[in-house]
Amino acid sequence: MISIDLLLVRYSGLRQDDLDLWIANFWVRPDGEPGAYLFGDIDVARIGLILELRDDLRIGDDAMPVVLGLLDQVYGLRRQLRAVSDGLTQIAPDTVRRDLAAHLAAKWY
């Protein structure tokens, strides 16, 4: 967990008012109280993502919730697919896994 002061040092393009807006919009969800927030690894990574979207890709504040929502959906789907894959690896026989892999390869290639 890191403080706002350390975040502002880590990300030179980050301003306090940016961070306040992102917290108010629930784009970032730190622990603690206003003035004493602490940011975990997930929030630190998300702040870096928001800065990249804003500064490099020129995504504005109006479009940011849509972009972040879509990215959250993509990451959620990846977690679900990983869980399905892990489950198949643990419980499905080799023949089922091979058949599934062949079926998916035929559909996507």
Side-chain angles (χ1 to χ4, degrees), residues 41-88:
D41 292 341
I42 297 285
D43 287 315
V44 173
R46 191 161 177 100
I47 289 165
L49 172 65
I50 294 169
L51 284 169
E52 183 178 341
L53 291 170
R54 183 191 72 183
D55 297 343
D56 297 347
L57 299 177
R58 304 283 186 225
I59 303 294
D61 287 346
D62 292 340
M64 190 67 72
V66 174
V67 173
L68 290 173
L70 291 170
L71 287 171
D72 289 343
Q73 288 180 33
V74 168
Y75 292 133
L77 290 169
R78 287 179 65 189
R79 280 191 302 275
Q80 289 176 341
L81 282 172
R82 189 175 305 116
V84 168
S85 176
D86 291 347
L88 285 172

